[in-house]
Amino acid sequence: MAERQLAMVMDLNKCIGCQTCTIACKQLWTRDEGMEYMWWNSVNTQPGRGTPKDWEKMGGGFPNKKPDPGRIPTRAEFGDAWEYNHKEVFYGGKGDKTHLQIQGQKPDWGPNWDEDQGAGEYPNSYYFYLPRICNHCTHPACLEACPRNAIEKNAENGIVTVNEDSCRGYRFCMAACPYKKIYFNQVAKVAQKCIFCFPRIEKGVANACARQCPGRVRFVGYRDDQNAPIYKLVDKWKVAIPLHPEYGTEPNVFYVPPLGPARFDEAGDLDESTPRIPTEYLESLFGPAVHDSLAILKAEMEKAREGGKSELMDLLIAYKWKDMFGGFDRDPASIEWVKAESTEG
Amino acid sequence: MRVQYDPKADSASLLDPGSKIWNGRKREVLELMGAPAGLQPSGAIRAAYADQKIGAVTSVSVSALHDGEVIAFRLEWQDPSDDASIGDNDSFPDAAALAFPVHEQAPMILMGAPGMPVNAWYWRADDGEKGRHVTAEGLGTSRLLDESLVKVRGQWKAGRRALVISRSMQVGDVPGAAQFAPGEPSRFGVAIWEGSHGERAGIKAFSGNWKDLTIDALPEKGGN
Ligand code: SF4
Ligand code: SF4
């Protein structure tokens, strides 16, 4: 176990599914050859089938405390990268005759498209967004599955990374990660994954997905920093809880579950007695801790509505943007970044 | 197994599995066994293969030649599918390796042990003709020595793969590398990974305990 652990909290009540986080990550980290299909950050609509498609049925992790081998998601299941005729349309002088078309074989599943699926019946239909990154688990199934010890958990901050010099592309990690957050680079022939923006973190800058988020959804910081929001949301107020705790990897990304809007009854009046997002569904994602979390959120919200002071609501509203980053609030524009030799783009 | 001396062999024909230099050479058929699931280095791999067969290739025929400088092994086995590239995340290339104990007591089944290295000459189909010269001190510890000393050439035809893996008998002072000399006995082993069965890393077929290798001595220089 690492001495300290960096963590993230994502407030699902505030996520608007804009994918700014996804693009921030893509621009920064996954533009090299072989990374085209990778989305180290993804945002899915729930209760859709997710990315990769049906990832929750692919196994891995430590259900019942024992390793489950799991299976490797295919590129098509991730929603492969496909090409458009950009050149022709934008630069080929044919803009008035042709339109953007997918080149080659048409994909039949893609993120932020086919998975964008809610549930329920009008007028009580519902959906919410679920952003996901690697959970930088305390008990990382990826690391433990690798026969070459090529996956490392940083002793000082708990960030889990692939050592690409040791990796031989065996992909046991991809099968073992129950969150399906490891990708295989066919060009470099190694596994690649979210690095929790460690080169930024080392310089006091919060992760790109967190800083760029217009919804103020993401808190960043050390788990044990008692003065910072992560500790308060996870340990003090116990409203931020991990996704699929039953996978047994002890994630360090935590979610504030969505309360969702109230239901309409048959007369068309608001019915606050049953939630629109079925609690059983939320329990299937976040485990039984979701009940207490929702109850605390409701009570504190009520308190604030009645004019009371709620530390929890103040935290979640995130009045001061920089306070969300547990001290990692340095402006990246104030740093002169040096490009690493081994990467391009 | 005997490594025959052929003074007429040049390195190009030695390396070519289709060259007539290999015609009519004695082939030794080695039975292969699956690497035991219980010895795999991670819990996830042990769990994945607890009830799954390891070792799709069950035998390989081997012949070996040397020209005084270079030692070459020609492997041939039944390989119904030519898995030469990584098509998708869940597909794996065919691979093969020769292994030699560098330490007297190095266990073949574990690819060596700490302080007891094994030297492997490794080929993977997606690397084309690039051989990897590797040393290991236990499963999962293999370390690349270089990508130039081991030469490989293969061909796949109608469900059979023939592959020559060769190297100079002596490679100077490379820690972790096996050295050979005409007339000196040695030992070796073979491992084969069947890509279409997802075999990679310790999931492989191998030839069991070390096999003896007799390397022909150079003929006595005549009195001419
Ligand atoms: S989420 Fe997956 S890839 Fe990330 S640390 Fe956990 S097991 Fe490893
Ligand atoms: S940037 Fe923020 S609001 Fe937008 S999808 Fe990502 S987490 Fe949600």
Side-chain angles (χ1 to χ4, degrees):
Chain A
M1 233 177 82
E3 271 167 54
R4 293 190 87 187
Q5 177 67 55
L6 282 162
M8 193 179 278
V9 167
M10 304 193 199
D11 182 355
L12 300 185
N13 294 287
K14 293 166 81 182
C15 178
I16 56 171
C18 64
Q19 306 279 4
T20 309
C21 47
T22 308
I23 298 303
C25 177
K26 183 91 209 155
Q27 289 288 37
L28 196 52
W29 300 121
T30 60
R31 292 173 64 192
D32 283 0
E33 232 196 315
M35 298 177 121
E36 296 83 355
Y37 82 106
M38 296 184 194
W39 301 100
W40 291 355
N41 183 98
S42 49
V43 183
N44 288 135
T45 308
Q46 301 300 125
R49 295 164 75 177
T51 302
K53 182 183 184 179
D54 292 328
W55 62 272
E56 288 152 299
K57 296 180 188 150
M58 290 181 183
F62 310 93
N64 312 312
K65 305 223 178 326
K66 284 201 208 71
D68 177 80
R71 79 166 175 86
I72 299 173
T74 63
R75 288 177 63 109
E77 283 168 328
F78 275 113
D80 218 331
W82 55 86
E83 301 268 329
Y84 288 93
N85 51 340
H86 285 127
K87 275 214 178 101
E88 190 184 19
V89 174
F90 295 131
Y91 309 107
K94 289 192 197 151
D96 51 352
K97 289 185 217 80
T98 183
H99 59 280
L100 281 181
Q101 277 169 321
I102 293 166
Q103 303 298 291
Q105 215 194 329
K106 292 236 180 348
D108 59 356
W109 182 263
N112 198 27
W113 189 251
D114 306 271
E115 50 77 20
D116 191 4
Q117 186 193 333
E121 292 273 327
Y122 178 84
N124 287 316
S125 41
Y126 67 92
Y127 66 88
F128 62 93
Y129 296 111
L130 181 68
R132 299 200 301 123
I133 61 172
C134 157
N135 293 294
H136 297 275
C137 305
T138 296
H139 191 190
C142 57
L143 180 153
E144 290 175 34
C146 178
R148 292 182 58 76
N149 294 321
I151 301 189
E152 295 160 1
K153 187 165 178 67
N154 185 291
E156 274 130 52
N157 59 27
I159 296 177
V160 176
T161 52
V162 178
N163 179 339
E164 293 187 12
D165 294 329
S166 308
C167 175
R168 293 295 308 276
Y170 293 148
R171 289 164 266 167
F172 292 109
C173 56
M174 287 180 84
C177 169
Y179 298 93
K180 302 302 158 196
K181 270 294 170 192
I182 304 200
Y183 300 80
F184 181 64
N185 183 320
Q186 235 117 359
V187 177
K189 296 181 183 179
V190 291
Q192 293 177 326
K193 62 178 283 299
C194 163
I195 56 172
F196 208 76
C197 285
F198 76 81
R200 291 165 66 100
I201 289 286
E202 281 170 0
K203 292 203 177 337
V205 181
N207 315 50
C209 57
R211 266 189 81 96
Q212 296 275 307
C213 173
R216 301 197 181 183
V217 168
R218 300 180 182 222
F219 300 84
V220 177
Y222 281 110
R223 261 305 292 277
D224 61 0
D225 183 351
Q226 302 203 3
N227 300 312
I230 301 272
Y231 179 86
K232 288 182 183 163
L233 294 169
V234 176
D235 296 284
K236 183 175 172 191
W237 284 97
K238 299 195 172 12
V239 290
I241 51 182
L243 176 63
H244 289 303
E246 76 281 11
Y247 290 170
T249 64
E250 297 175 46
N252 289 299
V253 172
F254 302 86
Y255 295 92
V256 180
L259 284 162
R263 283 177 68 86
F264 291 105
D265 65 16
E266 273 165 26
D269 293 324
L270 283 180
D271 169 13
E272 304 266 4
S273 65
T274 43
R276 200 187 293 191
I277 303 175
T279 312
E280 310 80 71
Y281 174 62
L282 293 178
E283 188 178 336
S284 76
L285 293 178
F286 300 107
V290 81
H291 297 285
D292 281 356
S293 167
L294 291 170
I296 296 164
L297 285 167
K298 262 192 209 151
E300 287 299 304
M301 202 184 242
E302 205 50 46
K303 194 164 103 191
R305 271 191 192 140
E306 283 162 12
K309 175 112 190 89
S310 164
E311 181 197 39
L312 178 60
M313 287 300 123
D314 286 354
L315 272 172
L316 291 174
I317 291 166
Y319 288 106
K320 286 205 190 124
W321 176 59
K322 283 191 168 183
D323 289 354
M324 299 180 75
F325 305 137
F328 295 93
D329 55 7
R330 197 160 156 204
D331 178 358
S334 70
I335 295 168
E336 204 173 312
W337 297 92
V338 190
K339 213 196 244 174
E341 272 168 35
S342 55
T343 54
E344 322 145 25
Chain B
M1 199 181 90
R2 180 174 162 207
V3 184
Q4 265 181 281
Y5 172 64
D6 187 337
K8 293 189 300 296
D10 57 83
S11 44
S13 46
L14 271 183
L15 200 52
D16 176 5
S19 148
K20 59 182 186 309
I21 200 162
W22 292 103
N23 287 353
R25 301 288 177 181
K26 184 171 164 21
R27 294 177 172 195
E28 191 152 326
V29 176
L30 300 182
E31 300 295 322
L32 303 182
M33 59 188 263
L39 293 181
Q40 298 300 318
S42 88
I45 303 177
R46 289 193 293 274
Y49 287 90
D51 319 304
Q52 205 180 311
K53 186 178 155 36
I54 300 176
V57 178
T58 51
S59 72
V60 58
S61 79
V62 190
S63 12
L65 290 174
H66 80 87
D67 65 358
E69 294 276 323
V70 169
I71 183 167
F73 295 82
R74 185 182 183 283
L75 311 176
E76 190 179 322
W77 70 94
Q78 218 152 7
D79 182 2
S81 58
D82 181 17
D83 305 294
S85 64
I86 306 173
D88 203 338
N89 292 336
D90 58 354
S91 63
F92 293 87
D94 293 330
L98 289 163
F100 308 93
V102 178
H103 186 282
E104 180 79 10
Q105 246 101 65
M108 165 68 180
I109 194 166
L110 294 170
M111 277 300 280
M116 301 177 187
V118 163
N119 181 203
W121 305 354
Y122 178 82
W123 164 84
R124 202 166 87 178
D126 60 321
D127 286 341
E129 292 180 349
K130 189 177 77 186
R132 293 184 201 227
H133 196 215
V134 160
T135 186
E137 299 187 17
L139 290 174
T141 68
S142 74
R143 184 168 58 79
L144 186 68
L145 294 171
D146 62 80
E147 291 180 327
S148 56
L149 291 177
V150 172
K151 309 258 188 272
V152 193
R153 191 148 309 160
Q155 63 185 32
W156 184 90
K157 227 191 274 166
R160 282 190 85 74
R161 188 181 294 281
L163 184 75
V164 172
I165 305 183
S166 77
R167 202 202 71 180
S168 292
M169 290 205 263
Q170 296 284 329
V171 289
D173 187 20
V174 180
Q179 312 282 353
F180 304 90
E184 300 260 320
S186 190
R187 290 176 298 161
F188 82 113
V190 178
I192 294 180
W193 292 261
E194 174 49 51
S196 68
H197 287 235
E199 292 186 350
R200 74 276 198 199
I203 305 302
K204 66 190 177 197
F206 77 114
S207 53
N209 220 336
W210 298 115
K211 309 285 174 211
D212 286 329
L213 207 54
T214 333
I215 305 175
D216 277 3
L218 298 177
E220 298 280 332
K221 288 245 159 60
N224 51 338

